[in-house]
């Protein structure tokens, strides 16, 4: 790496700090911050070895122009996701010409981790959290109705056999969603990094996160019906977040293993011996 490379890295670090510091309302506790910060180390780990060309420093102009456009639109709309995408493109505008050609495809597949290194889920995806809650409440209503229980629902509030169950904002899964996306992307790359189905696995992560979070709501409702509300709202509720992560991990592993199996080339037919 040359001096100009280090200067560009310093500029990227400065822009990243601006994106992180422009709205600190997402800061709650370490359990929310550390998974986001972990995206960058995972990116560097999976992207290794980092081999740079000996050619003069250069930036890919069209990619850099796209990054600037996203920065401008993100600033005007106050959307952290667009700022994260702009920062990621600015990083790729540098890496695209500075990495060895043999390494570019591998690193390009890891850019999703750079997008997830910013708190856009918490800041921009409030509506997503609402739909996660509402859909989880609806699934809970349908599930326990099929079991023969008396269930009524108004929005995200249910009564199951007379027991009140409220799918609060904490049950939206947003606090764990970004951690699940980062862990899922890492697992997708490890299992499918050399396969075209890798790109299909990334949007699949959102669906798997919804399934895991809905399973948590179903589990907490079952705990309240079986052992009482105090039990479901106590330590068992706190451990529900870990349950979501474990379910998400299991779903990702199984889904990606299936994609890996389906995308394997068929064995060539045996040739006749002469």
């Amino acid at each position: 790496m040359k001096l100009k490379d280090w200067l560009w890295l310093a500029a990227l670090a400065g822009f990243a700090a601006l994106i992180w510091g422009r709205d600190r309302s997402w800061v709650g506790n370490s359990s929310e911050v550390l998974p986001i910060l972990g995206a960058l180390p995972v990116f560097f780990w999976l992207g290794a070895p980092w081999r740079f060309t000996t050619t003069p420093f250069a930036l890919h102009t069209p990619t850099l122009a796209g990054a600037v456009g996203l920065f401008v639109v993100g600033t005007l709309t106050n959307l952290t996701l667009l700022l994260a995408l702009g920062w990621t493109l600015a990083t790729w505008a540098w890496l695209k010409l500075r990495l060895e050609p043999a390494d570019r495809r591998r690193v390009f597949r890891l850019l999703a981790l750079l997008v997830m290194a910013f708190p856009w889920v918490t800041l921009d995806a409030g509506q997503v959290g609402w739909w996660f809650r509402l859909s989880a409440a609806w699934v809970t209503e349908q599930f326990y109705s099929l079991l023969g229980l008396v269930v009524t629902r108004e929005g995200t509030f249910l009564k199951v056999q007379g027991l009140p169950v409220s799918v609060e904002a904490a049950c939206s899964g947003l606090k764990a969603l970004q951690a699940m996306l980062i862990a899922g992307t890492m697992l997708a790359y490890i299992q499918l990094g050399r396969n075209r189905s890798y790109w299909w696995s990334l949007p699949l992560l959102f669906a798997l996160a919804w399934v895991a979070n809905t399973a948590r709501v179903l589990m907490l409702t079952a705990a309240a019906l079986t052992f009482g509300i105090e039990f479901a709202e106590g330590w068992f509720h706190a451990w529900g977040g870990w349950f979501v992560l474990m379910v998400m991990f299991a779903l990702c592993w199984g889904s990606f293993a299936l994609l890996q199996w389906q995308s394997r080339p068929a064995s060539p037919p045996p040739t006749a011996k002469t």
Side-chain angles (χ1 to χ4, degrees):
M1 289 179 60
K2 306 178 186 299
L3 176 60
K4 290 183 178 179
D5 292 307
W6 291 108
L7 292 175
W8 185 249
L9 270 177
L12 289 173
F15 276 114
L18 287 175
I19 297 172
W20 272 76
R22 57 187 289 275
D23 186 348
R24 291 188 292 273
S25 61
W26 54 270
V27 178
N29 53 56
S30 59
S31 63
E32 298 175 36
V33 178
L34 292 180
I36 305 176
L37 292 175
L40 286 176
V42 171
F43 172 78
F44 287 115
W45 169 54
L46 293 178
W50 294 91
R51 298 176 295 186
F52 290 84
T53 64
T54 57
T55 57
F57 174 85
L59 298 173
H60 191 256
T61 305
T63 305
L64 185 60
V68 173
L70 285 171
F71 270 124
V72 172
V73 177
T75 301
L76 293 176
T77 58
N78 198 34
L79 289 175
T80 306
L81 175 59
L82 294 182
L83 295 175
L85 287 169
W87 188 87
T88 301
L89 276 186
T91 304
W92 182 241
W94 167 60
L95 292 175
K96 187 173 184 178
L97 298 181
R98 299 299 293 129
L99 288 176
E100 290 286 349
D103 298 333
R104 292 171 189 171
R105 183 180 179 184
R106 181 185 75 250
V107 174
F108 179 74
R109 292 183 170 226
L110 292 170
L111 292 181
L113 286 170
L114 294 185
V115 179
M116 296 177 194
F118 299 91
W120 54 268
V121 170
T122 301
L123 294 177
D124 300 342
Q127 194 65 24
V128 174
W130 162 252
W131 285 110
F132 266 44
R133 293 169 56 199
L134 185 63
S135 58
W138 181 84
V139 171
T140 301
E141 175 191 18
Q142 301 303 314
F143 177 79
Y144 286 105
S145 294
L146 287 174
L147 293 180
L149 302 184
V150 178
V151 184
T152 59
R153 180 179 65 88
E154 292 183 8
T156 60
F157 180 81
L158 303 99
K159 277 191 175 182
V160 184
Q161 292 291 95
L163 180 76
V165 177
S166 180
V167 185
E168 302 289 347
C171 297
S172 66
L174 279 187
K175 292 183 179 181
L177 179 57
Q178 193 144 358
M180 290 190 286
L181 293 177
I182 293 170
T185 302
M186 179 180 68
L187 190 60
Y189 181 80
I190 292 174
Q191 291 186 257
L192 303 169
R194 297 182 179 180
N195 202 300
R196 290 182 180 179
S197 56
Y198 168 77
W199 298 111
W200 292 101
S201 69
L202 297 183
L204 181 62
L205 292 174
F206 287 90
L208 296 177
W210 177 85
V211 171
N213 191 67
T214 302
R216 174 176 179 258
V217 175
L218 290 170
M219 177 194 67
L220 290 173
T221 303
L225 288 169
T226 306
F227 303 105
I229 294 179
E230 291 185 1
F231 174 82
E233 292 181 345
W235 65 268
F236 190 77
H237 187 279
W239 280 94
W242 288 105
F243 171 79
V244 171
L245 290 176
M246 289 187 290
V247 170
M248 176 71 175
F249 185 85
L251 289 172
C252 287
W253 183 86
S255 300
F256 299 158
L258 181 61
L259 286 173
Q260 187 180 35
W261 175 75
Q262 288 184 335
S263 58
R264 286 178 180 173
S267 302
T271 56
K273 295 183 180 180
T274 58

